[in-house]
Amino acid sequence: MRLEPAARADREGAPCPALDEPVAHPGPADRPFPTNSNAAPAARDVHAARRHRELQQWHARLRLERQLHDGAALRISALALQLGLFQHRVPPGEPELRDAVGTLQDELATALQELRDVAAKIYPPLLDQAGLGPALRNLVERLDAPVRVTAGPERFGAAAEGAVYFALADALGVDAGALPDEVRVTRESDHLVVVVSGAGVGLGELIRDRAFPLGGSVTGPDVRAAEPHGVGTIVVRIPCE
Amino acid sequence: MRVALAEDGALFREGLLMLLQAAGHEVVAVAAGGDELISLLATTPADVAILDIRMPPEPDGGLITAERLRGKYPEMGLLFLSHYAESHYLMRILEIGTDSIGYRLKERVGSVEVLSDTLGRIADGEIVIEPVLAKRLVERPRGQKKDEIAALSEREVDVLRLMAEGRSNNGIASQLVVTPKAIEKNIANIFAKLNLHTDTSEHHRRVLAVLTYLRSQRDGS
C-alpha cells in the first residue's frame, strides 16, 4: 500500500506528536538526497533518501490511524452514550421509539467496528500501543494460526515494527497453508532482528519488499537445506529509529 | 451504587456521567486522569471505579491506576472501558485481578440497563468480559483446549479453579488442606499440561492457565 499524498502532507505538516525523536535526522547514516543536481548521488545517499521516505510513510500511516481514533471514533462513542440517555427518557408508552433508539445504537457500534477495521489496515492500534509481541500474537490468534511468537516488551519504532507486522500479516492472509512455525523478535544493538523459522520462499519475498526500503537486510530461507517441505529460516535485520 | 469515573475524553466523560446519574448511581468522583482520581478517592469511598484504559498517566493510565486502586482498596470493583476489545488487554487486566473486574467496549455500555447490569455484576465479585471478546476466545481451537483441560487430574482442576478465583498458593493450600509445596507441584503440572512454556514469567503463565480454565468453563455452559 502506498500513501504518497499523506506522506507529502507529512513533510509539510506538523511533526508527529507521538515521536520522541524527529523522523528526519540528517547525519552520516541517514542523509537526505543531495540537492546539488551536478553531483551524481552516491548509492548510500539513494538508500538514505529511500529510507527517509519510507519512514515518513510509516509515520503518516500511524498519524492517520490515531486521527481516526481520537476524532471520529471517540465522537461516535460519545454519541452512543447520548442516545442511551435519550432512550432512558423515552416515555414508557413508546416502546417502538425505544427500540428505534436501540437500533440506532447498534448502527453506531457497527460504524465503529468498520472504522476499527480500516484503522487496523492503516496501522494496527495494538502495534502502536503495545508493540510487535502483542500485535503478532493477536494476529495469529485471530487467524487461528499455530504460529509461536516469542517477543519481549522492547520497542523498535513505528516503521520497523510496521514492516515486520505487515509482511507477516500479508503472508498469513494470502496462504494460511504456508505458515511459519515460529517468529522470534529480539534487539541487537540498534537493530530489530526477527528470526522466522519454518518459513517459505514467499514469506521471504514479502519481508524483503518491506525491509529493504528501510535499509534492512534479509537472509534465507535456504530451502535446499530443508527439502522436501521447501521451508527454512529467515533472519531479518532492520535499523531502529 | 457509588461510582468513580476517570476518562480523558471530555465528550465521553460527560455523556457517561449523565448516563450514570440517569441510572440512579451516585457519582462520587469524576476525573480526567488516573492520578486525579486516586487523590479524589483518598477522601471519598466508591464501590466501583470506571477507568478508561488509555488515559493519563500515559500510556495505559487505566491499568496503572487500577493496580494502585486494587492495592489500596481491594474491595473496590474495577470496570475498564476501551475503544478496543483485545485479549492482550484482557490478560493485563486479569493480572491485576480476577474478581470484581470488568472490561467492556465504550460504545457497548451506552444504555442504562447494560451499564447498571455491568456495574452490578462487578460489585458482586464477577468478571465481566465484553461479549464479542469472550466469544472470540471461546471460538478459538476448541478441541485442543478441551483436551488440555481434560488431561488435568481432579486435584489439578481444583487447584486451577481456585487460581481462577484469584487465590494465592497459600490460600489454595489451606483450602485443600495440603502443603504449599504440594500446590506448587500441582501448578507446575498444570503449566506443563496446558503447554504454557517456560519462556513466559510464572505470573503470566498463571494468568494464561486461568484464562484457559475460564474458556473451558464457557465451553461447558
Side-chain angles (χ1 to χ4, degrees), chain B residues 64-78:
Chain B
I64 296 158
T65 306
E67 277 171 6
R68 292 185 195 147
L69 288 176
R70 200 36 63 117
K72 267 178 115 166
Y73 318 104
E75 302 296 311
M76 189 186 290
L78 301 168

Side-chain angles (χ1 to χ4, degrees), chain A:
Chain A
M1 196 198 304
R2 290 285 165 201
L3 293 169
E4 288 291 351
R8 275 197 294 275
D10 173 32
R11 230 164 284 160
E12 294 156 9
C16 183
L19 290 176
D20 296 332
E21 290 175 33
V23 176
H25 37 93
D30 189 354
R31 207 180 319 153
F33 203 86
T35 47
N36 182 354
S37 57
N38 293 328
R44 71 179 224 170
D45 287 329
V46 175
H47 290 154
R50 188 168 60 185
R51 174 170 156 84
H52 177 72
R53 196 171 56 236
E54 194 73 6
L55 287 176
Q56 290 201 318
Q57 286 195 359
W58 281 109
H59 286 286
R61 279 181 175 229
L62 187 58
R63 204 161 39 252
L64 278 176
E65 179 271 307
R66 288 184 179 165
Q67 206 178 332
L68 279 180
H69 173 266
D70 298 341
L74 281 186
R75 202 170 280 276
I76 295 173
S77 304
L79 199 55
L81 289 183
Q82 285 161 13
L83 276 178
L85 197 62
F86 180 74
Q87 188 183 44
H88 186 66
R89 289 174 180 162
V90 170
E94 301 270 8
E96 283 173 14
L97 183 54
R98 220 184 133 69
D99 290 349
V101 177
T103 306
L104 284 177
Q105 280 190 316
D106 288 344
E107 284 294 315
L108 287 185
T110 306
L112 273 174
Q113 190 51 48
E114 286 173 4
L115 272 182
R116 282 187 198 105
D117 293 344
V118 171
K121 283 177 185 157
I122 298 172
Y123 200 94
L126 193 60
L127 182 60
D128 175 22
Q129 292 159 23
L132 262 179
L136 288 177
R137 280 187 202 103
N138 186 55
L139 179 68
V140 299
E141 179 189 301
R142 283 181 188 240
L143 293 172
D144 197 8
V147 181
R148 188 154 159 207
V149 176
T150 309
E154 302 100 320
R155 301 303 303 265
F156 308 93
E161 291 179 349
V164 169
Y165 177 89
F166 277 98
L168 286 163
D170 287 350
L172 266 53
V174 168
D175 183 3
L179 295 176
D181 301 324
E182 187 183 9
V183 179
R184 185 177 286 271
V185 179
T186 54
R187 175 189 282 273
E188 275 176 24
S189 66
D190 58 348
H191 280 65
L192 159 64
V193 178
V194 182
V195 179
V196 187
S197 49
V201 179
L203 179 54
E205 289 309 308
L206 285 167
I207 291 181
R208 278 185 180 81
D209 287 348
R210 301 272 185 186
F212 283 172
L214 285 167
S217 67
V218 180
T219 61
D222 185 1
V223 295
R224 283 164 302 174
E227 294 290 354
H229 302 295
V231 295
T233 298
I234 299 172
V235 181
V236 192
R237 282 191 171 76
I238 303 176
C240 301
E241 285 162 59

